[in-house]
Amino acid sequence: MEQRLHRIHVRTTGRGLVAITEPVLRWVAAQGVVTGLLTLWCRHTSCSLLVQENASPEVRDDLEAFFRRLVPEGTALYRHDDEGPDDMPAHIRAALTQTQLSIPVAEGRPVLGTWQGLYLWEHRAAPHRREIVLHLIGAAAPP
Amino acid sequence: MEQRLHRIHVRTTGRGLVAITEPVLRWVAAQGVVTGLLTLWCRHTSCSLLVQENASPEVRDDLEAFFRRLVPEGTALYRHDDEGPDDMPAHIRAALTQTQLSIPVAEGRPVLGTWQGLYLWEHRAAPHRREIVLHLIGAAAPP
Amino acid sequence: MEQRLHRIHVRTTGRGLVAITEPVLRWVAAQGVVTGLLTLWCRHTSCSLLVQENASPEVRDDLEAFFRRLVPEGTALYRHDDEGPDDMPAHIRAALTQTQLSIPVAEGRPVLGTWQGLYLWEHRAAPHRREIVLHLIGAAAPP
């Protein structure tokens, strides 16, 4: 059994989904692990990880619009606004989604479904540089 | 240390929770792993995984009703409706719940609490056949 | 490769976040695992796990207030009220957050970001004693 660790950095351009499927799959493919478990950990509390439809950009737009309605900005709603009106809504959106994903690896690749893509979801209005830790545990042989 | 991979298929009858605790526990029990980590991965973006109360059917009905109110159908709300009015609400409901669960295994069984059951949550109105990948890593001995 | 299992118990004082970062990090530090994967499993369906900002108490208050508005109590809303008006809202709040977290371990410690803290989120109005299972798999050497 072997382990691998890696970090990827993602530049965001304000609220919305950034696809990370490709760099994640590329890194896994280079590790020589045939069967295992891949874990992604997002090191922030105002962005999150999401598995979603990878085909239609409209799905991403609708998701972002729904979450803006669900978690509105507004000075009367929150006590915490140290970093502006999008600060507390960003924390709530992160609480409603995922900081971590673990995906089984079979035949050398994560077992994503045909339509599943991996995304970093930026919840802050301004661009940020985000860090995701990748951990892979597994073996070079089938189970 | 050993690994196991398995796939289970679940037939749904439209929106609502389908219990999967029993087939999951049965598979784990047959693997001879005493201590380990079990991961469930749902290979879809319009259904999800849920841990919930396994005693009262009312809890499942209330959960389904709450999510229908939280994520309403409506042509004015979403741009993405390729597969009908339940298409985009299904993606949002999946984003608000889990695509993956990892459960420690101790003394040969997942450490579910007394009242915890595992469910596949179908978010589409029509019946579907869904696939869940199970991954188990662990050892035949106590830690 | 080695594994460790542990259980921690948390006393809550009604709805709200209880910090668990310190006992979790302390246990990991004592295991002699340099590279690995730590999993936390909450054995209940009316409280959950959360990764959130560890600096400002206002964030925790705002989170709690938002979830009370999002999932209101009310006899007309739910059929399940065996344990009182906070019973079904607690199950819904748990469904909207996490029962499990898996965190990569590097250089002997979980890779939490600077501002990330680990919390148990009590969703019931009354105090409870809650149980979290910790599982660690890894090795005493770098990858």
Side-chain angles (χ1 to χ4, degrees):
Chain A
M1 206 69 65
E2 294 173 57
Q3 292 185 99
R4 303 280 189 277
L5 278 168
H6 186 55
R7 283 164 200 249
I8 61 173
H9 295 92
V10 180
R11 291 201 175 274
T12 67
T13 57
R15 286 192 203 90
L17 300 174
V18 180
I20 58 169
T21 316
E22 203 273 332
V24 170
L25 293 189
R26 193 166 4 109
W27 179 74
V28 173
Q31 303 312 309
V33 167
V34 172
T35 309
L37 185 68
L38 169 70
T39 299
L40 287 73
W41 179 265
C42 174
R43 300 189 73 224
H44 310 273
T45 60
S46 56
C47 64
S48 48
L49 299 174
L50 186 73
V51 183
Q52 264 299 330
E53 158 101 24
N54 57 15
S56 162
E58 292 176 345
V59 171
R60 274 102 81 187
D61 294 345
D62 283 346
L63 270 169
E64 175 57 37
F66 177 87
F67 270 70
R68 277 202 215 197
R69 288 193 299 269
L70 185 67
V71 192
E73 296 186 1
T75 48
L77 291 171
Y78 314 110
R79 293 171 56 207
H80 179 76
D81 59 359
D82 296 356
E83 301 185 19
D86 63 321
D87 187 355
M88 195 59 221
H91 289 301
I92 294 172
R93 288 163 57 134
L96 287 166
T97 49
Q98 321 299 322
T99 295
Q100 168 259 324
L101 291 170
S102 292
I103 315 172
V105 172
E107 299 174 19
R109 60 187 311 278
V111 296
L112 295 173
T114 310
W115 306 107
Q116 286 183 317
L118 303 174
Y119 295 89
L120 176 96
W121 198 344
E122 178 61 71
H123 299 307
R124 298 300 307 275
H128 280 76
R129 182 173 183 267
R130 302 302 200 171
E131 184 173 83
I132 300 169
V133 175
L134 306 185
H135 173 265
L136 181 61
I137 184 169
Chain B
M1 204 69 65
E2 295 173 57
Q3 292 185 98
R4 303 280 190 274
L5 277 168
H6 186 56
R7 284 163 200 250
I8 61 174
H9 295 92
V10 181
R11 290 202 177 274
T12 68
T13 57
R15 286 192 205 90
L17 299 174
V18 181
I20 58 171
T21 316
E22 202 273 332
V24 170
L25 294 188
R26 192 165 6 108
W27 179 74
V28 172
Q31 304 310 309
V33 167
V34 172
T35 310
L37 185 68
L38 169 70
T39 298
L40 287 73
W41 179 265
C42 174
R43 300 188 74 224
H44 310 273
T45 60
S46 57
C47 64
S48 48
L49 300 174
L50 186 73
V51 184
Q52 263 300 331
E53 157 102 24
N54 57 16
S56 161
E58 291 176 344
V59 171
R60 273 102 80 186
D61 293 346
D62 284 345
L63 270 169
E64 176 57 36
F66 178 86
F67 270 71
R68 277 201 214 198
R69 288 192 300 267
L70 185 67
V71 192
E73 296 187 0
T75 49
L77 290 172
Y78 314 109
R79 294 170 56 207
H80 179 78
D81 60 358
D82 296 356
E83 300 186 22
D86 63 321
D87 187 354
M88 194 59 222
H91 289 301
I92 294 172
R93 289 163 58 133
L96 286 167
T97 50
Q98 321 300 323
T99 295
Q100 167 259 323
L101 291 171
S102 292
I103 315 173
V105 172
E107 299 174 20
R109 61 187 311 276
V111 295
L112 294 172
T114 310
W115 306 108
Q116 287 183 317
L118 303 174
Y119 295 89
L120 177 96
W121 199 342
E122 177 61 71
H123 300 306
R124 297 300 308 274
H128 280 76
R129 182 173 182 266
R130 303 302 201 171
E131 184 174 82
I132 300 168
V133 176
L134 306 185
H135 173 266
L136 180 62
I137 184 169
Chain C
M1 204 71 64
E2 295 172 57
Q3 292 185 98
R4 304 280 189 276
L5 278 168
H6 186 56
R7 283 162 200 250
I8 61 175
H9 295 91
V10 181
R11 290 201 177 274
T12 68
T13 57
R15 286 193 204 89
L17 299 174
V18 180
I20 57 170
T21 315
E22 202 274 331
V24 171
L25 294 189
R26 191 164 8 107
W27 178 74
V28 173
Q31 303 312 309
V33 167
V34 172
T35 309
L37 185 68
L38 169 71
T39 298
L40 286 74
W41 179 265
C42 173
R43 300 188 74 224
H44 310 274
T45 61
S46 56
C47 63
S48 48
L49 300 174
L50 186 73
V51 184
Q52 262 300 329
E53 159 102 25
N54 58 15
S56 161
E58 292 176 345
V59 171
R60 273 102 80 188
D61 294 345
D62 283 345
L63 270 168
E64 176 57 36
F66 178 87
F67 270 70
R68 276 201 215 198
R69 288 193 299 269
L70 185 67
V71 192
E73 296 186 1
T75 49
L77 290 171
Y78 314 110
R79 293 171 56 207
H80 179 78
D81 59 359
D82 296 356
E83 300 186 20
D86 63 322
D87 186 355
M88 195 57 222
H91 289 302
I92 294 172
R93 289 163 57 134
L96 286 167
T97 50
Q98 320 301 322
T99 295
Q100 167 260 322
L101 291 171
S102 292
I103 315 172
V105 172
E107 299 174 19
R109 61 189 310 276
V111 296
L112 294 173
T114 310
W115 306 108
Q116 287 183 318
L118 303 174
Y119 296 90
L120 177 96
W121 198 343
E122 177 61 70
H123 299 306
R124 298 300 307 274
H128 280 75
R129 182 173 182 266
R130 302 302 200 170
E131 184 173 83
I132 300 169
V133 176
L134 306 185
H135 173 266
L136 180 62
I137 184 169

